[in-house]
Amino acid sequence: MAFATRRFVRAASSAAATAAAKKLIVKHVTVIGGGLMGAGIAQVAAASGHTVVLVDQSDEILKKSTKGIEESLKRVTKKKFADKPEAGAEFIEKTLKNLTTSTDAVAVVHSTDLVIEAIVENQEIKNELFKRLDKFAPEHTIFASNTSSLQITQLANSTTRQDRFGGLHFFNPVPMMKLVEVIKTPMTSQKTFESLVDFSKAVGKSPVSCKDTPGFIVNRLLVPYMMEAVRLFERGTCWDAESSLFIKLSIFSLGDASKEDIDVAMKLGAGYPMGPFELLDYVGLDTSKYIIDGWHSLEPNNPLFAPSPLLNKLVEEKKLGKKTGEGFYKYK
């Protein structure tokens, strides 16, 4: 009898260990942040059959987000169901049925498998959000951040679920861009990592993995490239701090190359769809400055992360790119 009991206990323990080691199949997703990124993530998750709740601070923001998702879905169906309008209409209806909105993050995380944060790039605000949600989310729930510049480890440390915390960095526009960077911290469990990879595939993306290093893969290469383009343009000028102006060192030169020629060169010579100055304006000069300032504070002696006086000046003047009508270029 004692032998049978021991066998039963060992079998039960083994079964429990196997269950614990199984990957979580994500069915219910909560997306925090109704901006372009959050709405895009909510759209692809709902379109792939997940139950999704999109959360933001006001109903007004969420109405705007929902309208944007509906318009985006219409664009998708025009391509995906060009010859089948009825199937396209059914796809939109089905996707929107999978999506609900809420202004109460605490209330909706009670029954979620995955929380994806896509709010403002501010360490303190993100930490406060995760710390609060950690108290109400189920034990199995995975937390993930869509941050492009902050350390996932620091965000995970604001919770008690460091092993169930990772990064899911989507790219804008989310419905169109195929890539997702899946970030694994030193504390992220293999089970969590594999669950995040599986979720990325389930929403139709191609996941790549990276350790928790500044900028992950794409931005670590892209941001220094854009900053070097600015320095290439800045050369041939000097910064006069007293007058807050750039002064030409030569009447014939504004730098090693003009921003227009740099953009054309990278598009035609390297095959890039956008030149670095066009891309900076598209991303937002304030966002780019925030990223490079953060990396510079982490590695002040790294020349790749050196700040740019010209970029700082444009941000100070609120010339942030396409969203304000002027950055390196002017927009109508």
Side-chain angles (χ1 to χ4, degrees):
M1 185 68 163
F3 175 70
T5 303
R6 283 197 299 273
R7 284 186 62 184
F8 175 77
V9 170
R10 280 200 299 271
S13 299
S14 177
T18 302
K22 285 182 180 177
K23 292 179 289 185
L24 172 68
I25 299 173
V26 174
K27 295 179 180 178
H28 189 291
V29 183
T30 300
V31 181
I32 313 291
L36 278 176
M37 294 302 296
I41 295 167
Q43 177 183 324
V44 297
S48 54
H50 296 83
T51 302
V52 182
V53 182
L54 180 61
V55 180
D56 212 306
Q57 294 177 326
S58 72
D59 289 324
E60 186 180 349
I61 294 172
L62 290 168
K63 282 178 184 176
K64 186 178 177 182
S65 302
T66 304
K67 185 180 178 182
I69 290 171
E70 288 179 15
E71 291 173 354
S72 177
L73 284 169
K74 287 175 184 176
R75 289 193 295 272
V76 170
T77 54
K78 278 184 182 179
K79 292 183 178 180
K80 192 174 181 181
F81 302 97
D83 302 324
K84 301 176 182 177
E86 289 182 5
E90 187 181 342
F91 170 74
I92 292 175
E93 184 183 357
K94 201 171 181 180
T95 299
L96 292 176
K97 275 186 179 178
N98 289 335
L99 177 66
T100 56
T101 61
S102 175
T103 56
D104 190 348
V106 167
V108 297
V109 297
H110 282 290
S111 57
T112 197
D113 299 318
L114 173 64
V115 174
I116 304 176
E117 169 274 313
I119 63 173
V120 63
E121 283 287 86
N122 181 293
Q123 180 89 49
E124 198 173 317
I125 293 173
K126 288 179 189 286
N127 280 345
E128 287 175 7
L129 172 70
F130 282 124
K131 186 177 181 180
R132 184 158 54 97
L133 297 184
D134 187 43
K135 297 174 183 176
F136 298 95
E139 187 178 346
H140 78 276
T141 303
I142 295 172
F143 282 9
S145 176
N146 183 60
T147 182
S148 61
S149 62
L150 300 176
Q151 284 190 311
I152 302 296
T153 303
Q154 297 253 344
L155 298 173
N157 284 338
S158 66
T159 73
T160 60
R161 62 183 74 215
Q162 289 96 334
D163 61 322
R164 287 151 287 155
F165 203 116
L168 276 180
H169 183 217
F170 290 79
F171 290 79
N172 189 34
V174 177
M176 303 299 294
M177 300 293 280
K178 296 293 291 182
L179 183 68
V180 175
E181 291 176 324
V182 182
I183 315 306
K184 186 178 183 182
T185 76
M187 302 96 72
T188 306
S189 71
Q190 186 63 22
K191 170 186 168 183
T192 296
F193 173 72
E194 290 175 5
S195 297
L196 291 175
V197 168
D198 287 350
F199 170 75
S200 301
K201 291 177 180 177
V203 298
K205 303 303 178 186
S206 298
V208 294
S209 63
C210 184
K211 292 181 179 178
D212 190 16
T213 184
F216 315 136
I217 298 173
V218 174
N219 282 339
R220 181 60 181 261
L221 298 174
L222 187 61
V223 173
Y225 149 73
M226 293 191 295
M227 293 302 296
E228 186 57 24
V230 176
R231 295 183 193 108
L232 190 66
F233 176 58
E234 280 178 336
R235 292 185 195 118
T237 64
C238 68
W239 174 251
D240 183 2
E242 191 173 328
S243 63
S244 296
L245 293 171
F246 278 90
I247 300 172
K248 296 179 190 178
L249 295 180
S250 165
I251 195 169
F252 303 108
S253 175
L254 280 174
D256 287 348
S258 70
K259 58 182 183 290
E260 292 83 2
D261 282 350
I262 293 170
D263 278 349
V264 169
M266 293 311 295
K267 285 188 288 186
L268 300 185
Y272 288 9
M274 299 174 75
F277 291 97
E278 292 171 326
L279 186 56
L280 280 161
D281 278 355
Y282 179 79
V283 170
L285 304 193
D286 53 337
T287 302
S288 302
K289 172 178 159 51
Y290 181 86
I291 292 171
I292 207 68
D293 286 351
W295 294 358
H296 180 64
S297 67
L298 289 173
E299 299 182 31
N301 297 321
N302 190 334
L304 293 175
F305 301 160
S308 159
L310 177 55
L311 181 64
N312 292 345
K313 178 176 181 288
L314 290 171
V315 172
E316 188 180 336
E317 293 173 349
K318 307 298 181 187
K319 297 175 181 176
L320 309 180
K322 292 194 77 171
K323 60 186 173 185
T324 60
E326 184 175 359
F328 284 102
Y329 297 108
K330 289 185 180 181
Y331 303 88
K332 293 181 181 180

